[in-house]
Amino acid sequence: MLSPKYIPYILKQVSRHPARSILTMLGVAVAMFLFVSVQALQRGVAEATEVTGKEVTLVVYRENRFCPATSRMPDSYARRIAGIPGVESVVPMKIVVNNCGASLDTVTFRGVPRENIASITGGATILSGSIEEWKRRGDAALVGETLAARRGVKVGQTLSAAGIDVYVAGIVRSENAQDQNVAYVDLAFLQGTAKRGGDGIVTQFNVRVKDPARLPEIASAIDEEFRTDSEPTDTRPESAFVARAAHDLVQLVGFSKYIGWGALAGVLALAGNAIALSVRDRIKEHAVLRTLGFRGGLIARLIIAESAALCLAGGAIGSLAAFAVLRFGNFSMSVEGTSMNVNAEPVLIAIGLAITAGAGILAALLPALSASRRQISESFRAV
Amino acid sequence: MTPTLIECRGLARTYRRGPELITPLDQLDLDVDRGDFLALMGPSGSGKTTLLNLIAGIDRPTGGTLTIGGVEISGLSNGALADWRSAEIGYIFQLYNLVPVLTAYENVELPLLLHKLSRRERHERVATALALVGVADRSSHYPRQLSGGQEQRVAIARAIVTDPAIIVADEPTGDLDRAAAAAVMELLVRLNREMSKTILMVTHDPGCAAHANRTLHLEKGRLVESGLAAAH
């Protein structure tokens, strides 16, 4: 630890070479922007795809189909699914997206039966508008908060995408990334409006089960029910369904962790270089401090604190910038009608700061050790 | 209390430079009393600065014993030696060696950061030291804003601010003009006479050495002549 009375000395040393310090801070800031962004991507993916023991929703999709445009099943399947023991409720959904590929601005329409809208959005909070308003109009939509913010639409306005115009009847907030990024509309309206498919055809069924422990068993029972039908099914827990649908994207995001580690290595290299140069420039000054009675360990801690301060400043800039961009950009990654939020949470700033401080300390260890061990008289002779 | 503050017995320092063994100090015996003002003279490479550094505890002897104030300092660990320096030694360099990013005040405050003093106590001590050396009005100036003489005065303030028993000065006037050098020497004489500081000073200038009350001549690491200077 270091007494606070040394802080002015440390800060003056950080500002000793302004150009060098600013460039180092900017480098660290860019690296931490990358790191925090990658972390936000990974948190979003993890949240959307990790199967938990509490999950109660199954998604029934057309077997061997991977896109909402090609998964087509008769909505009469709903009655048969509802008859399977353990099933609590079944909601047929038609899904229309403006972009089947991976995109940061995909608009997903989910058509659900009018009588199911309250249950499907049951866990969500209505931020503005109302379900009553949604029920009053045939072309109404309940829009997820993230999608509404990204598209800049408010209640009473029109949301247009994929050739479909809907009236925004409400904006909802949900902990489920899927609900945050979709517009719920009336199933009949969507079936009538969409170019492909028609009455009686849906994309998937969302099935709620009573006991989460029975999720795999019920999924198997559903698939068995339709195994010999013309449209066989593939049923998975919702998170596993998202993971499969967004498999390529998940892999890409998984790869991005190396970018995050690379960014950290960049921080180490930048800070290490800056501190090594700084220590080399101050061999004589450190010898003077030790002549005054500063112990080698204290010199080392001062150097480490200087490095940590430099990195923290850069880390704060980068982490805050990334947080602001991700938070206000309301990004979500969507593919095949599934969504994963880019989760910019305040904890990421704390993580970013802790990591930069750690990297600063690590980067300074060798120069600090070297400075603390150098003989005083040799240091005076060396310059 | 014994009048002898510094006792060197068979003091030696050797180091290796490539294949060559250098002996800047060889079998030196020396006693320095409390309150002495000692001038060390001799040609370059005679071992003056090496002796000064050994007594200041910034170098370690390779032979003999060095006892200061009853403490065998060559036996101290690095940490204990640092603490001892902080309490007992004030070092004045030829080229001042002030920290360029710190003001005169902050430079003088530096050694006090090692002591358990409140901010107010530190302030009082720094103000006193700066006033004593006559640069109180320059406390907020950075070293680059000071003349050489003023820089050396600030360095002297830094050396005395912890009230050490011993002040070592390595050619303290070597980089100064005549007037500034005279002022610095006058200051050192005052520290010796009025504050009873024991001073060891390396100098090439016989005029500066004349301010000391004893002069030692070194040659090839050995003491060749010792005498009392004219009293002032």
Side-chain angles (χ1 to χ4, degrees), chain A residues 5-6 8-9 12-13 15-16 284-285 287-296 298 375-377 380-381, chain B residues 58-59 79-80 82-83 85-86 91 93 95 97 99-103 106 110-111 113-115 122 142 158:
Chain A
K5 63 187 171 186
Y6 294 106
Y9 175 80
K12 287 213 168 188
Q13 293 296 359
S15 59
R16 185 172 191 153
K284 191 175 177 183
E285 188 174 305
V288 170
L289 291 181
R290 293 187 65 191
T291 301
L292 296 179
F294 282 59
R295 287 180 173 216
L298 177 56
Q375 294 295 317
I376 304 174
S377 51
F380 282 125
R381 276 199 292 270
Chain B
I58 64 173
D59 199 1
D83 295 344
R85 278 197 304 273
S86 169
Y91 202 117
F93 300 90
L95 294 175
N97 283 338
V99 179
V101 291
L102 302 182
T103 63
E106 290 163 338
L110 262 183
L113 296 178
L114 302 170
H115 296 257
R122 289 203 305 270
Y142 287 90
R158 182 178 66 183

Side-chain angles (χ1 to χ4, degrees), chain A residues 18-312:
Chain A
R20 186 198 289 169
S21 294
I22 288 171
L23 286 172
T24 304
M25 276 189 249
L26 285 178
V28 172
V30 170
M32 286 318 293
F33 184 95
L34 269 176
F35 183 83
V36 169
S37 302
V38 166
Q39 289 299 311
L41 280 174
Q42 293 191 321
R43 289 171 82 93
V45 167
E47 197 172 275
T49 60
E50 276 177 7
V51 181
T52 67
K54 295 175 184 171
E55 197 163 0
V56 290
T57 305
L58 289 167
V59 175
V60 182
Y61 219 62
R62 169 67 165 82
E63 189 182 35
N64 296 326
R65 299 289 187 271
F66 306 96
C67 170
T70 55
S71 176
R72 302 171 65 204
M73 295 171 288
D75 56 12
S76 58
Y77 275 18
R79 282 191 304 278
R80 289 166 66 187
I81 294 171
I84 292 172
V87 171
E88 186 179 300
S89 65
V90 183
V91 178
M93 275 189 198
K94 178 158 184 68
I95 293 177
V96 174
V97 294
N98 67 340
N99 186 343
C100 250
S103 169
L104 286 176
D105 184 28
T106 298
V107 176
T108 304
F109 293 102
R110 284 186 172 181
V112 295
R114 299 184 76 79
E115 63 275 18
N116 289 122
I117 188 64
S119 68
I120 205 84
T121 57
T125 307
I126 308 281
L127 297 178
S128 56
S130 66
I131 290 182
E132 289 66 37
E133 180 71 0
W134 185 87
K135 286 179 175 170
R136 255 198 303 276
R137 296 177 60 126
D139 64 344
L142 284 178
V143 182
E145 181 187 21
T146 306
L147 174 59
R150 196 168 67 240
R151 281 292 175 124
V153 292
K154 293 176 180 162
V155 170
Q157 295 181 330
T158 301
L159 172 67
S160 302
I164 300 169
D165 297 328
V166 293
Y167 169 82
V168 179
I171 292 173
V172 297
R173 175 181 292 165
S174 170
E175 287 185 3
N176 187 334
Q178 306 309 313
D179 292 341
Q180 281 286 88
N181 284 288
V182 300
Y184 282 105
V185 296
D186 176 35
L187 177 60
F189 165 77
L190 197 58
Q191 285 173 329
T193 313
K195 290 170 190 167
R196 295 196 63 184
D199 289 350
I201 298 297
V202 296
T203 310
Q204 67 185 48
F205 298 90
N206 278 26
V207 180
R208 279 183 73 86
V209 301
K210 292 169 186 160
D211 180 6
R214 294 187 61 203
L215 219 56
E217 173 198 335
I218 295 169
S220 299
I222 293 170
D223 290 342
E224 186 57 30
E225 170 74 20
F226 303 107
R227 195 167 58 83
T228 55
D229 273 45
S230 59
E231 308 294 345
T233 59
D234 182 359
T235 306
R236 297 167 188 244
E238 188 175 32
S239 53
F241 169 76
V242 173
R244 189 199 67 159
H247 179 255
D248 294 348
L249 204 54
V250 170
Q251 280 202 320
L252 273 176
V253 172
F255 174 77
S256 73
K257 73 179 174 199
Y258 297 109
I259 296 174
W261 293 121
L264 270 189
V267 171
L268 277 175
L270 273 168
N273 180 57
I275 291 299
L277 285 174
S278 172
V279 168
R280 197 182 64 185
D281 288 349
R282 287 189 280 149
I283 289 175
K284 191 175 177 183
E285 188 174 305
H286 289 145
V288 170
L289 291 181
R290 293 187 65 191
T291 301
L292 296 179
F294 282 59
R295 287 180 173 216
L298 177 56
I299 301 277
R301 280 179 284 149
L302 289 170
I303 292 168
I304 288 169
E306 189 182 322
S307 175
L310 195 62
C311 286
L312 267 177

Side-chain angles (χ1 to χ4, degrees), chain B residues 59-134:
Chain B
D59 199 1
R60 287 180 181 274
T62 49
T65 60
L66 174 57
T67 308
I68 300 178
V71 178
E72 169 54 56
I73 67 162
S74 53
L76 296 177
S77 66
N78 285 337
L81 192 59
D83 295 344
W84 177 84
R85 278 197 304 273
S86 169
E88 304 294 339
I89 299 292
Y91 202 117
I92 301 167
F93 300 90
Q94 179 184 354
L95 294 175
Y96 334 125
N97 283 338
L98 299 176
V99 179
V101 291
L102 302 182
T103 63
Y105 179 96
E106 290 163 338
N107 266 288
V108 177
E109 190 188 25
L110 262 183
L112 293 178
L113 296 178
L114 302 170
H115 296 257
K116 285 181 179 165
L117 296 170
S118 67
R119 190 186 174 91
R120 186 177 172 182
E121 286 170 322
R122 289 203 305 270
H123 176 77
E124 283 169 3
R125 288 206 190 191
V126 172
T128 303
L130 285 171
L132 189 73
V133 300

